[in-house]
Amino acid sequence: MNPYQSYQTNAVQTASPGELTLMLYNGCLKFIAQAKKAIEDKDIEARNTNLLKAQKIIQELMVTLNMEYEVAKSMMTMYDYMYRRLVEANIKSDITILEEVEGYVKEFRDTWKQVIQMNRQRQYAQGGHV
């Protein structure tokens, strides 16, 4: 295993659940970008491979939702929509659909980043009062 792979493996193994979710969003964005390039290059195999990976990530995000919370129900609806749009983009080789889904994933990711930062700040604040 090269040093970069070791670093990546270690980063995943030591990540908090919140950081893992962030990694999933970033991975999804990476695969969507690679699929867009594959469509431009008319590389059907690469398009399909990358969109299947993006779909798997969306499925993973769906599985990890805690449905006890009301917000999770609306997130599930959005994830389901995004998943179906990725399938459609794959069938139609449609970059416009990918850009739509990419926008949603970025919004989720950016919101998630803010949640992680707010939680960290809260933890540090509580740590200072002990």
Side-chain angles (χ1 to χ4, degrees), residues 69-117:
Y69 297 103
E70 200 55 41
V71 70
K73 292 172 184 153
S74 53
M75 287 176 74
M76 179 64 83
T77 303
M78 266 317 286
Y79 286 157
D80 183 57
Y81 175 77
M82 289 159 52
Y83 180 85
R84 285 184 284 119
R85 293 294 277 165
L86 286 172
V87 171
E88 188 180 349
N90 199 0
I91 293 166
K92 296 180 177 176
S93 281
D94 190 326
I95 288 179
T96 309
I97 295 173
L98 288 181
E99 287 170 345
E100 175 198 358
V101 176
E102 187 176 45
Y104 292 133
V105 177
K106 282 181 181 173
E107 280 182 47
F108 273 109
R109 185 214 38 211
D110 294 347
T111 302
W112 194 251
K113 260 191 203 168
Q114 289 176 330
V115 168
I116 291 173
Q117 287 169 342

Side-chain angles (χ1 to χ4, degrees), residues 13-85:
Q13 289 170 346
T14 59
S16 69
E19 289 165 332
L20 285 173
T21 300
L22 200 57
M23 288 178 185
L24 287 174
Y25 286 134
N26 284 328
C28 192
L29 289 170
K30 180 182 86 173
F31 295 131
I32 290 171
Q34 289 174 352
K36 285 188 342 191
K37 184 176 179 341
I39 289 171
E40 288 165 359
D41 297 344
K42 303 203 181 332
D43 185 339
I44 295 164
E45 191 177 341
R47 177 205 72 213
N48 186 52
T49 300
N50 284 296
L51 286 178
L52 289 176
K53 288 178 181 179
Q55 289 165 33
K56 263 196 151 3
I57 289 175
I58 298 293
Q59 285 177 316
E60 181 62 27
L61 289 165
M62 290 167 95
V63 168
T64 59
L65 279 177
N66 183 343
M67 297 309 284
E68 290 174 29
Y69 297 103
E70 200 55 41
V71 70
K73 292 172 184 153
S74 53
M75 287 176 74
M76 179 64 83
T77 303
M78 266 317 286
Y79 286 157
D80 183 57
Y81 175 77
M82 289 159 52
Y83 180 85
R84 285 184 284 119
R85 293 294 277 165

